[in-house]
C-alpha cells in the first residue's frame, strides 16, 4: 500500500523466486533487522533464502515471520520485494493496492505491465532508476548486479579455458599470458576487465563511449578504439545504436581482435532493444582452438551469432557460454547487494521510520522508479528536471574591480611602474648601505642569499601547482646539506673547558646527522613516488 494514513505498520513480504535458474532472494537476515527498525513487519516465504544459503531460522532470528506458501505471503504483504518480475501465477495472487518492487523491464514486458495495472498495484521497477542522479546511486541495483555478473563471467571463462591466465616461466617451459578482449565497458565490462587483469591476463576492451577509455586503463586494460569518429553515449549512462558506418568499422576491429584473443567477453546491451550482434560465425571460426566466448547478453538474444541461451556449447573448437544466471551463480553475494539497494529505497519511501511507505511522485528518483501508480501506468517517466544555469555576473563588475585595483584598493593586478621604481630605489640604497658598512665576508654571503631567494622564487612560480608537493619534498631533502656541519663536528669535536673533546656536542652532532639523513632520504622518496603518479 502507498497510503501513509494507515495506523498499523505495513508488512513487507519476500516470496521465493520462481523464475528458472534464479537463486537470489530479495532480502537477507542482516537487512531484515534494519527493515524492522524502520517500523515494518517482515514476512518471508519458507525456503526463499535457501538457494542463496540463508535458512528460515536465520530469518526468524532476525525478527521476520516465516509462512509456508506463496499464497499466504501475497495475502499478508502490503509491499512485496522480489528479484524477478511476478509470474502469471504470482500476478493472480496480488491483492489490489499492493506495492511491488523488483526488476520489471517494462519495455520488454508490456503484457505484464498491463496485468499489474489491472490489479490496481503500485510497481517500482529497479531497472528504471535514473542512474544519472548522484543521490540514487545507493539504490542502483543494476550496477550491483552487473558488477557481480562481470566478475563471474571471468570465472566461468577461466573454468572453460585450458591454461593459466597469467604468464609463467616454469622448468617445463614458458606459459604465455591469456589475451582477453572485453566488448562493452559498462559496469559489467569494467568488472570483467578488473578481474581478468588481476588474474594476470593481457586485457583489451572496446566501447562505443569514448569517455570510458580512462576507466579501462585505470583497471589495467588497453582501450581499443574503432577507426571511426562517432559518439556512442546514450541517455542515462547507456550506449546508443550506432550508424552503419561505425558498425562496419567496429566489425572490422572485432574480426582483428577475435584472431588474437584467447577469451572474448561480450556485454553490449541497448535498453529496450535486442542485443547487437558483434561476433559473427566467421569471427568464431578465426579464433584459436580452445578459445572461450562468454556472452553476457544471452538473455536479450546474445552478442554472438552462435550463442545458445543458458548453455555452454562448442562451435568450431571455441566454447561459447550463454549463461543468463551469472549473478545467481554468486547468489549469496548478489542477494546481499540487492537487499541493500532495496533497503536504501525503502528508507527513501519511509523517511519518518514509522513503518509506512509513501511513493512521492515529486521525487525525481522515486518518480523514475515508479512505472505503475495505483493501477495507472506511469512509464516512461518524464525527462529529469534540469537545473537552471547560473545568472551571468553584471558586466560592470570586472571594470569596477580593475578600477579599484588601479587606485591601490585591491589586491589583484600588477603594481604600477612608479611604485616598482620606488621599491627598486629603496632596495638599491639598502644594498649600498650594507656594502659600505658590513664586513666583506658578510657581503658575499648576503649576495648569495639574495640570489638564492630570487632563483628559488622563480623556480616555484614557474612550476605547475600539481608538482608543488614533490618540489617541496626534494627541496626539503636538499636543505639537509646542513648534515655537513654535523659531520665536521664529529670529525673534529669541539674542546671542553679542560681541553678534551666535548662529548655532548659530539652526540648532538650525531643526532642531527641521523635526523637530517631521515629528512634527506624521505624527501627524495616522497618526490619519486609522487612524480610516478604523473607518468603514463
Amino acid at each position: 500500500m502507498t497510503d501513509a494514513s494507515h495506523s498499523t505498520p505495513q508488512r513487507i513480504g519476500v516470496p521465493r523466486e520462481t523464475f528458472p535458474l534464479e537463486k537470489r532472494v530479495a532480502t537477507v537476515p542482516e537487512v531484515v533487522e534494519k527493515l524492522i527498525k524502520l517500523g515494518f513487519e517482515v514476512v518471508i516465504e519458507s525456503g526463499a533464502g535457501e538457494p542463496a544459503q540463508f535458512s528460515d531460522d536465520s530469518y526468524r532470528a532476525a525478527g521476520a515471520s516465516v509462512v509456508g506458501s506463496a499464497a499466504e505471503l501475497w495475502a499478508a504483504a502490503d509491499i512485496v520485494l522480489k528479484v524477478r518480475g511476478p509470474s502469471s501465477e504470482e500476478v493472480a495472487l496480488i491483492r489490489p493496492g499492493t506495492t511491488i518492487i523488483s526488476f520489471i523491464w517494462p519495455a520488454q514486458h508490456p503484457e505484464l505491465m498491463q496485468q499489474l495495472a489491472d490489479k490496481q498495484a503500485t510497481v517500482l521497477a529497479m531497472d528504471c532508476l535514473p542512474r544519472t542522479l548522484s543521490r540514487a546511486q545507493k539504490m542502483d541495483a543494476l550496477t550491483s548486479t552487473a558488477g557481480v555478473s562481470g566478475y563471474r563471467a571471468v570465472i566461468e571463462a577461466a573454468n572453460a579455458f585450458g591454461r593459466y591466465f597469467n604468464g609463467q616461466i616454469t622448468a617445463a617451459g614458458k606459459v604465455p599470458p591469456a589475451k582477453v578482449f572485453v566488448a562493452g565497458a559498462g559496469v559489467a565490462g569494467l568488472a570483467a576487465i578488473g578481474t581478468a587483469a588481476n588474474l594476470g591476463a593481457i586485457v583489451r576492451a572496446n566501447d562505443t563511449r569514448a569517455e570510458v577509455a580512462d576507466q579501462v586503463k585505470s583497471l589495467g586494460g588497453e582501450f581499443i578504439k574503432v577507426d571511426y569518429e562517432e559518439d556512442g553515449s546514450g541517455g542515462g549512462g547507456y550506449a546508443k545504436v550506432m550508424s552503419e558506418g561505425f558498425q562496419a568499422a567496429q566489425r572490422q576491429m572485432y574480426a582483428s581482435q577475435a584472431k588474437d584473443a584467447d577469451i572474448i567477453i561480450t556485454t553490449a546491451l541497448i535498453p529496450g532493444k535486442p542485443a547487437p550482434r558483434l561476433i559473427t560465425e566467421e569471427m568464431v571460426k578465426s579464433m584459436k582452438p580452445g578459445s572461450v566466448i562468454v556472452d553476457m547478453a544471452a538473455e536479450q538474444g546474445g552478442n554472438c551469432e552462435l550463442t545458445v541461451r543458458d548453455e555452454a556449447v562448442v562451435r568450431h573448437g571455441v566454447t561459447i557460454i550463454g549463461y543468463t544466471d551469472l549473478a545467481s551463480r554468486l547468489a549469496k553475494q548478489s542477494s546481499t547487494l540487492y537487499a541493500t539497494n532495496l533497503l536504501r529505497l525503502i528508507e527513501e519511501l519511509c523517511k519518518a521510520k514509522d513503518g509506512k511507505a509513501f511513493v512521492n511522485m515529486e521525487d525525481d528518483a522515486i518518480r523514475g522508479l515508479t512505472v505503475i501508480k495505483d493501477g495507472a501506468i506511469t512509464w516512461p517517466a518524464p525527462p529529469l528536471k534540469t537545473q537552471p544555469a547560473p545568472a551571468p555576473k553584471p558586466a560592470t563588475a570586472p571594470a569596477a574591480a580593475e578600477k579599484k585595483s588601479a587606485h591601490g584598493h585591491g589586491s589583484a593586478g600588477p603594481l604600477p611602474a612608479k611604485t616598482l621604481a620606488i621599491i627598486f630605489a629603496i632596495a638599491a640604497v639598502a644594498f649600498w648601505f650594507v656594502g659600505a658598512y658590513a664586513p666583506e665576508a658578510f657581503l658575499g654571503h648576503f649576495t648569495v642569499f639574495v640570489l638564492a631567494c630570487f632563483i628559488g622564487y622563480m623556480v616555484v612560480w614557474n612550476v605547475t601547482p600539481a608538482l608543488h608537493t614533490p618540489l617541496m619534498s626534494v627541496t626539503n631533502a636538499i636543505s639537509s646539506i646542513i648534515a655537513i656541519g654535523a659531520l665536521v663536528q664529529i670529525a673534529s669535536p669541539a674542546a671542553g673547558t679542560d681541553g678534551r673533546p666535548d662529548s655532548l656536542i659530539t652526540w648532538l652532532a650525531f643526532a642531527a646527522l641521523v635526523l637530517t639523513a631521515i629528512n634527506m632520504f624521505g624527501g627524495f622518496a616522497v618526490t619519486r613516488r609522487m612524480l610516478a603518479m604523473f607518468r603514463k
Side-chain angles (χ1 to χ4, degrees), residues 4 6 77-78 131 176 187 265-266 315-316 332 339 387 403 424 454 461 473 499 533:
H6 293 285
D78 302 303
R131 301 171 78 182
V187 176
I265 299 175
T266 65
R315 299 287 185 268
H316 308 293
K332 189 168 187 176
Q387 295 294 332
K403 183 177 179 181
F424 276 111
F454 175 75
W461 183 264
S473 297
M533 297 169 60

Side-chain angles (χ1 to χ4, degrees), residues 25 35 46 135 143-144 166 173 184 253 280 284 296 362 366 407 424 483 524:
V25 63
L35 292 173
S46 180
R135 59 176 289 266
T143 295
S144 301
N166 63 323
M253 183 270 289
T280 64
V284 175
M296 295 184 63
E362 299 299 319
I366 303 303
H407 285 82
F424 276 111
F524 283 122

Side-chain angles (χ1 to χ4, degrees), residues 391-403:
K393 296 181 179 180
T396 57
E402 292 177 5
K403 183 177 179 181

Side-chain angles (χ1 to χ4, degrees), residues 86-172:
S87 63
S88 299
E89 295 77 11
E90 289 174 320
V91 169
L93 299 175
I94 297 175
R95 292 188 296 110
T98 302
T99 297
I100 300 169
I101 305 176
S102 72
F103 286 106
I104 298 294
W105 304 105
Q108 288 94 326
H109 302 104
E111 301 87 359
L112 174 61
M113 289 283 289
Q114 190 57 55
Q115 291 172 4
L116 294 172
D118 292 342
K119 284 288 187 175
Q120 299 300 307
T122 294
V123 181
L124 278 67
M126 296 301 291
D127 47 275
C128 292
L129 179 74
R131 301 171 78 182
T132 54
L133 291 175
S134 58
R135 59 176 289 266
Q137 292 177 1
K138 61 185 178 182
M139 301 178 278
D140 190 357
L142 278 176
T143 295
S144 301
T145 303
V148 174
S149 298
Y151 171 86
R152 184 68 190 196
V154 176
I155 302 303
E156 294 293 340
N159 181 58
F161 191 49
R163 65 170 200 265
Y164 297 125
F165 262 48
N166 63 323
Q168 295 189 18
I169 298 177
T170 69

